[in-house]
Amino acid sequence: MATVAQFDITYTQFLNEHGKLVGQLPPFAHNHSALKELYKIMVLTRTFDKKAIALQRTGKMGTYAPINGQEAISAAIGHAMRPEDVFVPYYRDYAAQFQRGVKMSEILAFWGGDERGSQFSCNSKDLPICVPIASQCLHAAGVAFAFQYRNQPRVAVVCLGEGGTSEGDFYEAINVAGTWKLPVVFIVNNNQWAISVPRDQQTGSQTIAQKAIAAGFTGMQIDGNDILATRQVIGDAIEKARRGEGPTLIEALSYRLSDHTTADDATRYQPCQEVEKAKPKEPISRFKEFLIEQKIWDAQDEESLVIQCSKEVEEAVNEYLSMETQPISSIFDYHYAELPEYLVEQRAIAMEEATHA
């Protein structure tokens, strides 16, 4: 018997859980302005996250998917992508979306049940938030194929949770991406929980990253709570795809320090000891420790940032709450070019009842 193939999965970390540098700084991190930008967007995103949960709890918004403890991944994505690329997000990618011009009030509108929140005022080519699990992977493969067909040096970047990698849509997408060497980067936020199912119960794969091997391209792991590792590795993968060297799958290891959504109660299934153990490893505090130690950040900077972030979020909330309510007819008006008869009747009834409400 002979061995015909062997594969390795690499793991990248630059900052350990205490904010201490492990090895040499990655190339981009010598730019202090870039480091400050990344820290600011993570703090802004967490401030937004807390407010969005409060809006839902007070009945001012619908179900919302928190991002607490996972900010580094989408912050790195937004920082690494070019404007001409296309982002295909799932429902925990706010930091990337903010950097790409999506307004906080638009995200709030989306979770408030108003689809106008997906019509980005920045005229972005990025796709809207995808709630169905893993279907966005096929969308990203299609976008990447269009770039390749047109000979455009552009890249599609798609995100999903580790639970989504058990879906057929994911496997179909990575298969076509590997076969055609599409310019697409798959980023998996492995936050250890596929809703209420722990990672070890939803896949027998030793790593999520190795799933790329079956599709014929590179898979790798990174510390998803290390902003230096996430930014460097994601940026490298994007530029690799732009050069025509094919796709990459990046498994970013993190932990969900929140409910799956505000319709969930994670205390019913997440072991409290596990959550407590994960809290000190979250990305913002470790990055802050690093910045302070490197004399890039200080207490005055922090105070100013907190005030600024609170102000920006409050302005976004006011903009969201002041949006004119959509008429009841909007439920019917965007599904068909021409409404079927039974929906014409329902639309008329709904309009009549709304008039007398």
Side-chain angles (χ1 to χ4, degrees):
M1 182 172 64
T3 300
V4 297
Q6 289 183 323
F7 306 94
D8 294 314
I9 298 299
T10 62
Y11 173 79
T12 302
Q13 181 191 67
F14 293 109
L15 283 184
N16 67 19
E17 60 190 81
H18 305 294
K20 302 299 182 183
L21 191 62
V22 181
Q24 294 185 336
L25 274 177
F28 90 91
H30 293 282
N31 183 336
H32 290 183
S33 295
L35 297 180
K36 289 181 180 179
E37 288 171 9
L38 286 165
Y39 183 70
K40 289 176 181 178
I41 193 63
M42 286 200 290
V43 173
L44 176 63
T45 302
R46 183 166 293 183
T47 306
F48 168 85
D49 192 62
K50 291 178 180 178
K51 188 64 178 182
I53 293 172
L55 288 172
Q56 190 280 329
R57 298 306 192 207
T58 54
K60 297 176 182 178
M61 195 174 73
T63 299
Y64 169 78
I67 192 177
N68 184 32
Q70 303 155 82
E71 297 89 353
I73 301 168
S74 64
I77 292 167
H79 198 266
M81 292 180 70
R82 295 185 188 179
E84 64 267 25
D85 297 332
V86 168
F87 186 42
V88 186
Y90 87 134
Y91 42 76
R92 295 191 211 282
D93 287 324
Y94 314 124
Q97 290 183 292
F98 296 157
Q99 292 177 87
R100 294 184 62 76
V102 178
K103 296 165 62 176
M104 285 184 280
S105 59
E106 291 170 335
I107 301 295
L108 296 175
F110 171 83
W111 290 115
D114 191 333
E115 289 295 341
R116 290 177 296 181
S118 298
Q119 189 175 3
F120 307 136
S121 57
C122 61
N123 294 317
S124 171
K125 301 298 182 183
D126 292 350
L127 274 63
I129 292 172
C130 185
V131 173
I133 306 301
S135 59
Q136 71 271 27
C137 297
L138 287 169
H139 304 159
V143 170
F145 174 75
F147 294 159
Q148 185 184 74
Y149 183 78
R150 298 169 183 164
N151 292 316
Q152 295 175 325
R154 302 168 69 188
V155 179
V157 178
V158 59
C159 278
L160 68 158
E162 85 282 358
T165 68
S166 294
E167 293 284 340
D169 286 354
F170 167 77
Y171 285 105
E172 293 170 10
I174 64 171
N175 186 64
V176 72
T179 302
W180 293 346
K181 291 190 176 180
L182 297 179
V184 56
V185 178
F186 298 90
I187 299 170
V188 179
N189 176 359
N190 182 357
N191 64 21
Q192 313 304 320
W193 290 93
I195 306 181
S196 58
V197 180
R199 181 231 177 279
D200 61 0
Q201 291 184 26
Q202 66 91 15
T203 179
S205 185
Q206 185 178 354
T207 68
I208 301 298
Q210 73 195 60
K211 296 188 177 191
I213 295 171
F217 60 91
T218 301
M220 60 183 68
Q221 273 191 352
I222 58 174
D223 181 346
N225 287 343
D226 172 3
I227 187 62
L228 301 186
T230 53
R231 172 60 181 85
Q232 185 63 46
V233 173
I234 289 171
D236 288 346
I238 290 173
E239 295 312 310
K240 169 191 166 187
R242 197 183 314 281
R243 294 191 301 267
E245 297 173 16
T248 303
L249 189 157
I250 298 169
E251 176 189 2
L253 298 174
S254 66
Y255 193 87
R256 202 186 74 211
L257 296 174
S258 62
D259 298 324
H260 174 68
T261 70
T262 51
D264 173 45
D265 179 7
T267 62
R268 297 173 62 186
Y269 55 84
Q270 276 185 317
C272 60
Q273 301 93 332
E274 183 179 284
V275 176
E276 291 304 312
K277 184 179 179 181
K279 283 181 179 178
K281 301 177 183 180
E282 61 89 14
I284 295 180
S285 60
R286 77 161 72 172
F287 190 37
K288 179 182 174 182
E289 288 297 319
F290 169 77
L291 293 176
I292 291 174
E293 185 177 286
Q294 297 294 315
K295 302 189 185 306
I296 300 171
W297 197 253
D298 58 31
Q300 186 174 350
D301 293 326
E302 185 72 14
E303 182 180 1
S304 298
L305 178 61
V306 169
I307 293 172
Q308 181 60 35
C309 288
S310 297
K311 179 181 178 182
E312 288 185 40
V313 170
E314 285 302 323
E315 289 174 352
V317 169
N318 291 334
E319 184 176 350
Y320 158 65
L321 294 176
S322 65
M323 289 180 67
E324 184 178 354
T325 302
Q326 288 236 64
I328 193 69
S329 59
S330 65
I331 297 174
F332 303 90
D333 292 344
Y334 304 102
H335 289 282
Y336 300 91
E338 186 173 337
L339 276 179
E341 282 299 318
Y342 75 96
L343 287 181
V344 170
E345 181 181 1
Q346 287 185 28
R347 184 182 187 281
I349 294 171
M351 292 290 289
E352 178 68 20
E353 292 183 352
T355 301
H356 298 292

